[in-house]
Amino acid sequence: FYPHLLAFHGLLRWVILAAAVAAIFVAISGWKGGKPVSGMLLRFGIVFVAAMDLEFLLGLILYFGASPVTKMAFQNMAAAMKDHELRFFSVEHTTYMFVAVILAHVGGVLSRKGKTDLAKYRGAAICYSLSLLLMLAGIPWWRPLLRLGS
């Protein structure tokens, strides 16, 4: 179960990165172009946020039960803080991604409830961009970029 869940978690990462780039592109083009809010901003935002939520849910399943890395870290957190990989997955990765999910949601709310069209585009562009930056900082780039269940 764990290898397949981890493989799907890693594969979904690429979908989310693509969705983030697309949502940011739409938001920035609307912000810079002074366009009225279109359905594209909302659609791309929904895809990005929904994919982030699914990925976060999978991450929580890995974090709290399926991952041997976090199980090992939870056994001795003091020792885990001295080990790069254990610290990364038990604290850093989790924190980066949690804040990235929050920022994605804030961007989605701002894209719908901003007072003006400019504020909707600007809020989405800023929050989605910050979310993407945190995701990029929190991805374990030293691990395989694509896992196929093994």
Side-chain angles (χ1 to χ4, degrees):
F1 173 72
Y2 169 70
H4 302 294
L5 187 61
L6 187 61
F8 186 62
H9 187 66
L11 184 62
L12 187 56
R13 149 188 47 190
W14 298 108
V15 172
I16 290 169
L17 291 175
V21 169
I24 292 166
F25 177 78
V26 169
I28 289 175
S29 68
W31 179 14
K32 298 299 180 191
K35 303 174 185 175
V37 170
S38 70
M40 283 185 58
L41 178 65
L42 301 176
R43 278 192 295 276
F44 279 101
I46 288 169
V47 168
F48 173 49
V49 172
M52 285 284 287
D53 286 345
L54 177 59
E55 183 79 336
F56 190 65
L57 178 62
L58 293 172
L60 288 175
I61 293 168
L62 286 164
Y63 187 78
F64 287 114
S67 173
V69 175
T70 54
K71 283 179 188 176
M72 190 182 316
F74 291 152
Q75 289 174 355
N76 185 349
M77 284 301 279
M81 293 302 105
K82 296 174 184 162
D83 181 273
H84 174 262
E85 188 164 347
L86 294 178
R87 183 185 65 244
F88 181 82
F89 286 108
S90 63
V91 177
E92 297 167 10
H93 177 72
T94 310
T95 303
Y96 281 130
M97 298 309 171
F98 180 66
V99 177
V101 168
I102 290 170
L103 283 168
H105 275 273
V106 170
V109 169
L110 292 175
S111 73
R112 292 187 311 276
K113 301 197 182 227
K115 298 221 183 271
T116 65
D117 289 343
L118 180 66
K120 290 177 181 181
Y121 279 119
R122 182 181 58 225
I126 291 169
C127 288
Y128 293 161
S129 296
L130 291 173
S131 179
L132 176 62
L133 288 174
L134 284 171
M135 283 187 290
L136 292 172
I139 290 174
W141 294 106
W142 69 90
R143 285 193 148 193
L145 296 178
L146 187 61
R147 292 177 186 265
L148 299 174
S150 56

